[in-house]
């Protein structure tokens, strides 16, 4: 996660870690209020499937990258995740994220 956070920071992109469904809906509302048109997100496919309607209803374009490794749904520990206490380590496909970030412009005055 650290490398992905660093890439986002380098591109001056806001970083938001979603803590629960209500938080996700709040973030979508804030993005809509700020006229944000798209985002790059990362979540496990189980989370996406479970709340697919929220992603669709947000009406904000998204590019979602699937995280690998143990997740709360596979382990039957959703209750821990919802409480912010799930501790398994997710793995991001760093090579994929790097390829995607090549297409994200740097802010004026900054370069890779």
């Amino acid at each position: 996660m650290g490398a992905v956070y660093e890439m986002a920071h380098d591109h001056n992109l806001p970083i938001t870690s979603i803590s629960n469904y209500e938080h996700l809906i709040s973030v979508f509302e804030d993005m809509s209020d700020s006229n944000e048109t798209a985002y790059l997100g990362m979540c496990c496919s189980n989370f996406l499937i479970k709340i697919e309607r929220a992603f669709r209803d947000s009406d904000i374009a998204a590019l979602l990258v699937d995280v690998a490794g143990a997740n709360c749904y596979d382990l039957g520990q959703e209750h821990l995740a919802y409480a912010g206490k799930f501790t398994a380590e997710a793995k991001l496909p760093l090579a994929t994220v790097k390829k995607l970030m090549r297409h994200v412009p740097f802010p004026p005055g900054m370069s890779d």
Side-chain angles (χ1 to χ4, degrees):
M1 292 294 282
V4 173
Y5 274 51
E6 186 177 324
M7 283 185 270
H9 177 74
D10 290 347
H11 285 81
N12 201 30
L13 298 174
I15 300 167
T16 304
S17 294
I18 301 299
S19 56
N20 57 42
Y21 175 81
E22 291 77 14
H23 183 220
L24 176 67
I25 298 304
S26 174
V27 168
F28 284 156
E29 289 170 354
D30 291 347
M31 290 176 72
S32 182
D33 291 347
S34 299
N35 296 315
E36 297 292 334
T37 58
Y39 65 94
L40 170 62
M42 292 152 211
C43 65
C44 70
S45 57
N46 292 340
F47 181 74
L48 175 61
I49 291 166
K50 183 170 181 156
I51 63 166
E52 175 185 6
R53 183 161 198 99
F55 285 99
R56 290 187 190 279
D57 289 349
S58 74
D59 207 27
I60 301 171
L63 180 57
L64 297 172
V65 177
D66 190 15
V67 295
N71 65 63
C72 66
Y73 298 102
D74 291 339
L75 300 173
Q77 298 181 1
E78 299 98 312
H79 63 287
L80 293 176
Y82 299 149
K85 297 179 181 178
F86 182 69
T87 59
E89 185 174 323
K91 296 179 183 157
L92 296 174
L94 195 53
T96 300
V97 175
K98 284 180 179 180
K99 287 177 186 177
L100 292 170
M101 291 301 289
R102 286 186 202 141
H103 301 282
V104 176
F106 282 92
M110 296 178 75
S111 65
D112 57 320

